Amino acid sequence: MATAPERLLLRLEWKVVRRLDGRLQGAHRTAHRGSGIDFTGLRPYGDGDDARHIDWNVTARLDEPHLRVFTEDRELTVWLVLDRSASMAAGRPGRGKHDVLAELALVLARLFGRGGNRVGALLFDTGTLRVVPPGTSRRHALRIGAELERTSEARGGATTDLAEMLDAAGRLARRRALVVVLSDFIGEGDWERSLQRLARRHEVVALRIVDTADDVLPEAGLIVVEDAETGEQLVVDSADPLLRVRFRAAVDARDARLEAGMRRAGVPVHRIGTDRDLAEALVEVVARTGDRSP
């Protein structure tokens, strides 16, 4: 009998992977641009060329500097950084943020793996870190899905330390790689500095998974509001105009801080709502990534 990750991946392969196959590979060039492993020939040295690639034997024989030319190595190592904190449980049953994260992780692992790239995963929860080493096969994508199925116990009293999550990714990805961070980015810590350090060594893309519950206060009178990260509860009057104004201002300020921090780190952030069609959202991500390519 098929497992839950197998059933999910089969559905996603029919609905999403087939529509995206081939697009994702062209959107991300290797981080080792122009230094692939396949030698294709020689050409004269020109201004701005890397002197480390000069073939000194040919240069001495022809009495003119020549470079060894390689095809660009297009294979990547991809790390998926997956936020498994309590706030990712927000959203309606069957389509919460953690459901969208699982779908995105499986689709990305399958798409990149089909292109021969090695995909690893870092699953982060407050106080817990699980790692799936890089691999390429469909079975490997299912292994990532199986890890996502394992639910960790909720830990009250502490919010997600985003800086710790990003630093863990930096320690794990020792060679240059494409690092895709999937999170709602609700948490604390000096994450901007950690993101800048990560982006200096790797190509980093942020997929921010959001739900209306994060941004909209329902107008339903007295309600109990609970901090998904800490478990703290508070009774509020959701119809209070002043409260609604303050809530909206806090949401706008949070989004502005996030956008500014990502911009300073040079990291593109893509907003993916739980109500979006996944294939449509990823096509948009690929298109925007292509627009940024030099």
Side-chain angles (χ1 to χ4, degrees):
M1 184 175 179
T3 64
E6 287 173 324
R7 292 193 298 272
L8 176 59
L9 181 56
L10 183 61
R11 176 171 65 83
L12 292 171
E13 284 175 329
W14 278 101
K15 292 183 63 177
V16 182
V17 173
R18 289 169 183 258
R19 290 169 61 184
L20 292 174
D21 200 15
R23 299 197 187 197
L24 202 61
Q25 307 305 325
H28 291 282
R29 295 175 297 176
T30 175
H32 306 281
R33 294 180 177 85
S35 58
I37 59 175
D38 296 326
F39 173 70
T40 58
L42 296 161
R43 66 170 175 82
Y45 177 85
D47 290 341
D49 286 334
D50 191 339
R52 291 175 298 179
H53 297 313
I54 292 177
D55 187 315
W56 294 107
N57 289 331
V58 174
T59 295
R61 188 167 64 250
L62 300 178
D63 198 25
E64 180 184 0
H66 274 68
L67 291 178
R68 295 174 62 86
V69 180
F70 300 86
T71 56
E72 185 176 3
D73 180 5
R74 299 190 66 85
E75 291 186 3
L76 293 167
T77 296
V78 182
W79 282 101
L80 305 178
V81 180
L82 308 175
D83 182 354
R84 300 293 288 159
S85 63
S87 66
M88 290 296 293
R92 69 182 187 274
R95 196 58 182 172
K97 289 188 286 186
H98 66 290
D99 298 303
V100 174
L101 178 141
E103 292 183 4
L104 282 168
L106 278 174
V107 166
L108 292 173
R110 190 72 181 112
L111 282 169
F112 279 115
R114 281 161 69 101
N117 304 300
R118 301 171 68 246
V119 183
L122 180 158
L123 294 84
F124 183 88
D125 193 0
T126 305
T128 303
L129 178 67
R130 298 200 303 275
V131 176
V132 180
T136 60
S137 65
R138 185 178 190 274
R139 180 176 296 180
H140 184 73
L142 287 172
R143 181 182 173 187
I144 294 174
E147 284 294 326
L148 285 165
E149 277 286 291
R150 295 173 53 189
T151 55
S152 56
E153 296 181 1
R155 294 173 176 82
T159 57
T160 303
D161 190 330
L162 296 172
E164 183 182 349
M165 181 175 73
L166 296 169
D167 286 340
R171 292 192 297 271
L172 195 62
R174 297 180 180 178
R175 296 182 179 179
R176 282 187 62 86
L178 170 63
V179 179
V180 184
V181 184
L182 291 82
S183 173
D184 56 7
F185 292 95
I186 295 176
E188 60 182 21
D190 185 10
W191 61 267
E192 185 177 337
R193 186 175 301 176
S194 297
L195 183 64
Q196 289 173 351
R197 284 197 296 267
L198 188 65
R200 278 197 293 268
R201 292 191 56 200
H202 307 284
E203 182 181 357
V204 182
V205 176
L207 301 184
R208 183 189 175 198
I209 303 172
V210 298
D211 186 84
T212 53
D214 295 330
D215 301 335
V216 178
L217 187 65
E219 202 166 344
L222 293 177
I223 60 173
V224 177
V225 178
E226 178 177 324
D227 188 319
E229 296 278 332
T230 66
E232 181 182 357
Q233 293 184 337
L234 185 67
V235 177
V236 300
D237 182 2
S238 62
D240 181 352
L242 180 58
L243 175 65
R244 298 184 67 81
V245 168
R246 291 173 61 187
F247 181 86
R248 185 70 256 170
V251 168
D252 291 343
R254 179 198 67 196
D255 290 353
R257 286 195 302 271
L258 178 64
E259 292 283 349
M262 292 287 177
R263 188 165 53 250
R264 283 190 289 267
V267 172
V269 56
H270 305 277
R271 182 184 175 100
I272 298 182
T274 56
D275 57 347
R276 286 287 304 276
D277 174 80
L278 196 62
E280 178 185 292
L282 285 174
V283 166
E284 184 178 297
V285 169
V286 171
R288 288 178 57 192
T289 302
D291 290 343
R292 295 179 70 256
S293 299

